[in-house]
Amino acid sequence: MSAHDTKQRKIAKGALRCRVLTPRNTVFDEMVESVSLTTVKGTLEVFPRFEPTIAPLAVGLMYAKGDDGSVTELAVHGGFMDMNGHVLVVLADSAEVGADIDVERAR
């Protein structure tokens, strides 16, 4: 079974595809149960079949909860989110997965 087929099966079961993109690369592209992120108006938690939404993002943390209970933390620095059906796209000025952040460089 291809990766595309696997994603389509997870979507059919109610999963959410979460993509975090920056001008330089794709930072995150996974199937998740929910995503919590910071908009300019506050924290928003997104689930599959969430109402279509476009919102500006603030600098903050984003949490993507996997279907296995794992949570991936990302640092997101501005941009926009676009939720439509089973796909959440975050277009960020910059973003990094928490485990990949170089602490020395960040200081």
Side-chain angles (χ1 to χ4, degrees):
M1 181 181 319
S2 73
H4 177 74
D5 291 339
T6 301
K7 284 183 181 178
Q8 290 304 315
R9 282 186 169 191
K10 286 186 176 186
I11 285 173
K13 290 182 179 180
L16 172 68
R17 181 175 184 191
C18 177
R19 301 184 73 208
V20 179
L21 311 171
T22 69
R24 293 185 172 202
N25 63 341
T26 298
V27 176
F28 186 80
D29 187 357
E30 299 289 334
M31 301 303 295
V32 299
E33 282 189 357
S34 65
V35 174
S36 176
L37 41 75
T38 307
T39 71
V40 295
K41 297 220 176 200
T43 302
L44 181 64
E45 191 156 2
V46 178
F47 296 92
R49 295 185 210 103
F50 194 82
E51 183 173 327
T53 305
I54 295 175
L57 299 175
V59 173
L61 295 177
M62 177 178 141
Y63 301 94
K65 182 180 177 186
D67 58 5
D68 61 355
S70 64
V71 176
T72 301
E73 183 177 281
L74 297 99
V76 177
H77 303 275
F80 290 87
M81 62 154 279
D82 178 8
M83 178 62 195
N84 194 351
H86 289 278
V87 180
L88 169 66
V89 177
V90 173
L91 301 172
D93 298 330
S94 66
E96 291 182 87
V97 174
D100 297 341
I101 293 175
D102 181 344
V103 176
E104 287 302 314
R105 182 183 51 79
R107 290 183 184 172

